[in-house]
Amino acid sequence: MDKIRMTTPIVEMDGDEMTRILWKMIKDILILPYIDLKTEYYDLGLENRNNTDDQVTIDSANATLKYGVAVKCATITPNQARMSEYNLKQMWKSPNGTIRSILDGTVFRAPILVKGIIPYVNNWTKPITIARHAYGDVYKNVEIKVPGKGSAYLVFEGEDGTSIKEKIHDFDGKGILQGIHNTDKSISSFARACFNYAVDTRQDLWFSSKDTISKKYDHTFKDIFQEIYDTEYKAKFEELGIEYFYTLIDDAVARVIRSEGGFIWACKNYDGDVMSDMVATAYGDLSMMTSVLVSPSGVYEYEAAHGTVQRHYYKHLKGEETSTNSIATIFAWTGALRKRGELDGISELVLFADKLEKACIKTVEDGKMTKSLSLISTCKDPVILNSEDFIKAIGDTFKTL
Ligand code: NAP
Ligand code: MG
């Protein structure tokens, strides 16, 4: 059989620990036998980030802007323990944060559904994709512990001399204060990424905030979304028969629970942080969550939502058997290959991605799975496979499709 040819490279960002081990197996067993794979390779493993003073992360993000599609392995975000473990020159920033800011991107997370793993909310028969605005609000706050009696003000001093001052509160005694901000630019990028992704995946888009209480702050989010929708996306949405829908966050929560899924829920930063954990847990397992970073200009970076699975890696290093689920990482690859196929007009690549995803799902539905999946599956007698045998089993299923 001839291998599928590619015309434009995918930006390949290698990573750390157990997911780095899986990365190579996925390529060797599931991709290289079928595709004449073209990638521009960047090693984002912590050792190489340290050696290059993290320049490799910046280069990989710029390459993504150039080519339009990237696939990323999970990477370590250094903390104090990693400083000594890897003898780091510096506590390098989270690669995801660096890439996100260069791409000005929004992260979309969606669960992979398989029969036998039943969501806690049993009417959720389709995936719910959460889009989290990852800039500002409480994550870039300034706080004060008020020591005693006194008055607090919110003050803006414009470069042109404008001065705006609002009283927050007259304190009788001790208390607390918090200042938060966002920018029209960041909110607009977030909105465009959401509208683009809705068009791309042909799903309805919901956006929620608390504009009835926050009449300027949250209301600005609502207004920017509406204006961009009306002027740039309305016609496209109508043509595709999809809907943009704004509602209050509390109403959204109630509707989401009653829904069957199958839409994108755009959330402000804090709401997205909280709701994505709730949605992921309700669907079953972090190892079955995909994640894609989409820029407002339509650049895509695919990855798994989980981390480097450190605990499994240490077992692997000791020569013990691991049973790590590679499905979300495989879906990162299929997402990137499908997108590349769509952009370059290579239908074989799109079909390959569809078929490999089907093979993953069928393998689990046929009762062959990793340990963590067996714990949440209703399958009577699951066959529990180790990390490599699971990938091989997916490869065997692939050949039968
Ligand atoms: P993690 O790697 O997601 O793993 C947490 C636990 O979840 C694992 O110990 C394992 O549970 C389970 N798990 C996650 N993925 C799994 C899979 N594919 N198959 C089976 N079980 C899976 O999170 P972490 O341990 O908090 O973080 C480890 C490293 O990952 C950190 O250095 C962190 O900075 C990094 N991280 C990177 C990203 C990213 O690059 N996007 C995201 C998050 C974290 P059991 O041990 O109970 O089996
Ligand atoms: Mg969270």
Side-chain angles (χ1 to χ4, degrees), residues 263-298:
F263 54 88
I264 300 161
W265 182 12
C267 291
K268 288 180 61 204
N269 210 349
Y270 175 81
D271 300 340
D273 182 353
V274 177
M275 292 305 160
S276 62
D277 282 328
M278 185 195 73
V279 169
T281 307
Y283 275 108
D285 195 314
L286 197 60
S287 69
M288 294 294 275
M289 268 283 167
T290 62
S291 180
V292 53
L293 178 72
V294 182
S295 83
S297 61

Side-chain angles (χ1 to χ4, degrees), residues 72 74-77 82 96 287 303 306-309 311-312 324-325 372:
K72 181 180 170 293
T75 46
I76 293 168
T77 298
R82 303 296 198 168
N96 289 52
S287 69
E303 64 176 318
H306 60 77
T308 61
V309 211
R311 219 177 55 83
H312 295 208
T324 315
N325 182 1
S372 64

Side-chain angles (χ1 to χ4, degrees), residues 313-325:
Y313 180 59
Y314 288 159
K315 278 175 75 178
H316 171 82
L317 287 182
K318 280 193 272 176
E320 290 171 30
E321 191 161 85
T322 59
S323 181
T324 315
N325 182 1

Side-chain angles (χ1 to χ4, degrees), residues 304-371:
H306 60 77
T308 61
V309 211
Q310 179 182 16
R311 219 177 55 83
H312 295 208
Y313 180 59
Y314 288 159
K315 278 175 75 178
H316 171 82
L317 287 182
K318 280 193 272 176
E320 290 171 30
E321 191 161 85
T322 59
S323 181
T324 315
N325 182 1
S326 47
I327 286 188
T329 305
I330 297 171
F331 271 63
W333 273 101
T334 53
L337 290 166
R338 179 184 296 107
K339 179 51 78 183
R340 201 62 271 167
E342 286 169 3
L343 292 174
D344 297 344
I346 306 172
S347 56
E348 298 94 320
L349 217 47
V350 177
L351 291 174
F352 173 86
D354 291 346
K355 200 169 135 182
L356 184 51
E357 290 181 359
K358 261 194 215 116
C360 290
I361 292 167
K362 188 169 188 310
T363 303
V364 176
E365 290 180 349
D366 286 349
K368 286 172 235 156
M369 59 190 83
T370 53
K371 184 146 182 278

Side-chain angles (χ1 to χ4, degrees), residues 153-168 216:
Y153 297 90
L154 196 57
V155 182
F156 171 77
E157 288 170 350
E159 233 177 33
D160 63 357
T162 322
S163 178
I164 307 171
K165 186 173 177 182
E166 292 276 349
K167 181 176 280 178
I168 298 171
K216 291 200 175 110

Side-chain angles (χ1 to χ4, degrees), residues 174-385:
K174 287 184 179 180
I176 39 180
L177 276 166
Q178 171 169 256
I180 59 171
H181 79 278
N182 225 299
T183 66
D184 285 15
K185 183 168 178 279
S186 176
I187 299 166
S188 303
S189 292
F190 173 50
R192 287 199 177 88
C194 291
F195 289 125
N196 282 342
Y197 196 67
V199 166
D200 200 46
T201 60
R202 289 171 163 64
Q203 295 183 87
D204 289 346
L205 175 68
W206 298 15
F207 177 53
S208 53
S209 76
K210 194 70 181 176
D211 64 291
T212 48
I213 297 295
S214 172
K215 291 192 170 63
K216 291 200 175 110
Y217 199 102
D218 279 22
H219 214 292
T220 298
F221 277 81
K222 179 183 175 183
D223 291 344
I224 288 176
F225 263 74
Q226 194 63 48
E227 196 193 320
I228 290 178
Y229 176 68
D230 289 340
T231 55
E232 298 173 32
Y233 292 94
K234 194 165 189 280
K236 190 77 200 164
F237 269 57
E238 283 170 4
E239 185 191 318
L240 293 174
I242 55 175
E243 195 187 357
Y244 168 60
F245 168 64
Y246 175 84
T247 189
L248 281 173
I249 178 78
D250 20 7
D251 179 51
V253 168
R255 285 173 186 261
V256 163
I257 294 294
R258 283 197 306 263
S259 79
E260 58 167 17
F263 54 88
I264 300 161
W265 182 12
C267 291
K268 288 180 61 204
N269 210 349
Y270 175 81
D271 300 340
D273 182 353
V274 177
M275 292 305 160
S276 62
D277 282 328
M278 185 195 73
V279 169
T281 307
Y283 275 108
D285 195 314
L286 197 60
S287 69
M288 294 294 275
M289 268 283 167
T290 62
S291 180
V292 53
L293 178 72
V294 182
S295 83
S297 61
V299 160
Y300 292 75
E301 182 244 300
Y302 295 85
E303 64 176 318
H306 60 77
T308 61
V309 211
Q310 179 182 16
R311 219 177 55 83
H312 295 208
Y313 180 59
Y314 288 159
K315 278 175 75 178
H316 171 82
L317 287 182
K318 280 193 272 176
E320 290 171 30
E321 191 161 85
T322 59
S323 181
T324 315
N325 182 1
S326 47
I327 286 188
T329 305
I330 297 171
F331 271 63
W333 273 101
T334 53
L337 290 166
R338 179 184 296 107
K339 179 51 78 183
R340 201 62 271 167
E342 286 169 3
L343 292 174
D344 297 344
I346 306 172
S347 56
E348 298 94 320
L349 217 47
V350 177
L351 291 174
F352 173 86
D354 291 346
K355 200 169 135 182
L356 184 51
E357 290 181 359
K358 261 194 215 116
C360 290
I361 292 167
K362 188 169 188 310
T363 303
V364 176
E365 290 180 349
D366 286 349
K368 286 172 235 156
M369 59 190 83
T370 53
K371 184 146 182 278
S372 64
L373 284 180
S374 74
L375 299 175
I376 54 171
S377 169
T378 55
C379 175
K380 287 279 178 295
D381 299 298
V383 180
I384 298 173
L385 299 173

